[in-house]
Amino acid sequence: QKEVEQDPGPLSVPEGAIVSLNCTYSNSAFQYFMWYRQYSRKGPELLMYTYSSGNKEDGRFTAQVDKSSKYISLFIRDSQPSDSATYLCAMSGSSASKIIFGSGTRLSIRP
Amino acid sequence: GAVVSQHPSRVICKSGTSVKIECRSLDFQATTMFWYRQFPKQSLMLMATSNEGSKATYEQGVEKDKFLINHASLTLSTLTVTSAHPEDSSFYICSARSGLAGGNLDEQYFGPGTRLTVT
């Protein structure tokens, strides 16, 4: 079993829709949870960074962490074609530890 | 945000040759740098962690004699793939953390990646 599971997609939604991206994990030691956006042939870019359980909002993006279920989500409101990319969930046990990545979900927003 | 560059962005080499990839933190000092490998439609897999001035720490299954890492300064790390084979063809991404004592997760910045093709 992988430490982090993420549906690879692809996921295609119309512009303006709410997008929900999810990951599950098995290691209860994870405390830090991140979402990265990766455009084709580019390096990942940090979108959201949360510690422990709870919600965090930043503009059109909301990250949710449910440690009891070992489940994290990223919601994108009012999705735009420019949001089309691969979204990687990632997590770590401490702020200085290595980051474990999910396999990424390919998202396409149709104009 | 902080900028990490990689050079070259793409490289094609013949089987059996060596290739060097450079990773630079352009506007900050990075005590810790990371090298990842990403196969198509797969996740980033950490290969090694390097701290400036000391030997790199390799992940299990990564051959340290094949993937030579040098972190000679606070702004430069290099990855040399020695005796490359077609199965080494992949997308190699470096990452650097700013700040002292290894930095924090939200201070880890990724380079644009290097596409290596071994023929």
Side-chain angles (χ1 to χ4, degrees):
Chain A
Q1 182 188 10
K2 292 182 182 177
E3 279 190 287
V4 181
E5 298 276 2
Q6 184 174 10
D7 186 336
L11 178 63
S12 180
V13 301
E15 183 176 356
I18 296 175
V19 176
S20 172
L21 303 168
N22 312 290
C23 286
T24 59
Y25 63 95
S26 58
N27 190 343
S28 57
F30 288 144
Q31 298 280 354
Y32 295 83
F33 304 90
M34 289 77 70
W35 285 94
Y36 289 84
R37 178 174 60 196
Q38 185 177 23
Y39 291 111
S40 181
R41 299 188 178 89
K42 300 291 184 186
E45 169 195 13
L46 181 65
L47 274 179
M48 301 290 283
Y49 170 72
T50 55
Y51 171 73
S52 196
S53 286
N55 294 356
K56 185 173 184 178
E57 187 173 321
D58 184 1
R60 296 184 295 111
F61 299 89
T62 300
Q64 285 186 353
V65 175
D66 182 349
K67 290 189 68 180
S68 63
S69 302
K70 296 189 179 67
Y71 188 87
I72 69 171
S73 302
L74 177 70
F75 297 96
I76 306 174
R77 291 185 300 280
D78 188 23
S79 55
Q80 305 293 311
S82 58
D83 295 328
S84 298
T86 295
Y87 289 79
L88 299 153
C89 64
M91 38 203 86
S92 181
S94 75
S95 62
S97 298
K98 64 181 181 181
I99 300 173
I100 307 299
F101 287 88
S103 56
T105 299
R106 213 154 34 98
L107 172 66
S108 176
I109 308 298
R110 305 188 303 269
Chain B
V3 179
V4 175
S5 70
Q6 279 184 244
H7 179 80
S9 57
R10 304 175 67 110
V11 58
I12 301 172
C13 70
K14 292 186 184 299
S15 185
T17 63
S18 296
V19 61
K20 180 186 286 189
I21 303 169
E22 290 187 349
C23 175
R24 295 182 185 273
S25 55
L26 298 184
D27 50 2
F28 65 98
Q29 293 186 327
T31 53
T32 305
M33 286 187 168
F34 306 85
W35 286 95
Y36 295 83
R37 181 166 51 183
Q38 186 178 34
F39 291 107
K41 297 182 181 178
Q42 293 189 27
S43 183
L44 279 75
M45 298 301 294
L46 180 65
M47 299 175 66
T49 302
S50 72
N51 291 295
E52 185 265 338
S54 60
K55 288 184 178 180
T57 302
Y58 290 81
E59 295 297 303
Q60 192 173 10
V62 178
E63 300 174 58
K64 61 180 68 175
D65 294 330
K66 180 172 182 61
F67 298 99
L68 303 179
I69 292 171
N70 185 287
H71 191 164
S73 77
L74 287 172
T75 59
L76 174 64
S77 176
T78 60
L79 168 68
T80 301
V81 183
T82 63
S83 187
H85 290 284
E87 57 264 31
D88 298 324
S89 298
S90 187
F91 194 50
Y92 291 85
I93 301 174
C94 75
S95 181
R97 282 193 193 172
S98 66
L100 299 175
N104 293 317
L105 294 167
D106 60 344
E107 297 174 305
Q108 182 167 339
Y109 305 97
F110 289 79
T114 296
R115 173 78 55 192
L116 169 64
T117 303
V118 184
T119 61

